[in-house]
Amino acid sequence: MNDTYYEFGTAAERWDRAQFFFDSKEYLTSARILRGLVEEEPEQLAARLLLARSYYHSARLGRAETELRAVLERNPAEYYARLMLGRTLERQGRAAEAAPHLRMAAAMGGE
């Protein structure tokens, strides 16, 4: 596929395409589409969170961490981003850094 495929269409069409690839477990393709959407609308947290999930599932943990921290900077009460950040840090072998995020996510989730 060429680059124009990823850039083609409205933001809504590209969002749908990114979700399709994510649901198809084509995480790198999903991330490729989502990067453009996040660049265009950096405050759009849904796209940034799906981008972080795409990175997480494709084992690009440093990139996932960066996106998750950006989400939490904009919305510290985003429960799922907090949980994912904790899991991302754990997966990188950084359990001590992960623990506060996981505790906070548990508290936010009512556990």
Side-chain angles (χ1 to χ4, degrees):
M1 280 182 238
N2 60 32
D3 288 340
T4 57
Y5 176 76
Y6 300 103
E7 299 164 358
F8 179 77
T10 66
E13 290 168 337
R14 287 178 287 146
W15 169 254
D16 289 342
R17 191 176 309 130
Q19 286 186 308
F20 169 79
F21 281 112
F22 184 87
D23 292 342
S24 300
K25 298 184 186 267
E26 294 288 335
Y27 302 117
L28 292 178
T29 304
S30 178
R32 188 171 182 178
I33 297 165
L34 290 162
R35 276 193 308 264
L37 289 172
V38 167
E39 286 175 14
E40 290 173 23
E41 295 289 335
E43 300 302 315
Q44 176 51 268
L45 297 185
R48 195 175 287 272
L49 190 55
L50 188 57
L51 177 58
R53 292 176 64 200
S54 295
Y55 284 144
Y56 178 87
H57 288 295
S58 61
R60 293 182 171 7
L61 301 177
R63 290 181 180 188
E65 179 183 349
T66 298
E67 294 303 327
L68 291 165
R69 289 188 187 280
V71 169
L72 290 170
E73 182 179 299
R74 289 165 175 80
N75 182 1
E78 175 56 56
Y79 156 79
Y80 191 68
R82 183 78 54 192
L83 177 64
M84 274 196 64
L85 179 58
R87 289 186 177 163
T88 299
L89 293 169
E90 273 185 331
R91 203 167 157 195
Q92 294 178 72
R94 296 161 56 191
E97 287 180 68
H101 295 287
L102 294 173
R103 279 194 304 272
M104 190 176 297
M108 293 166 100
E111 292 180 27

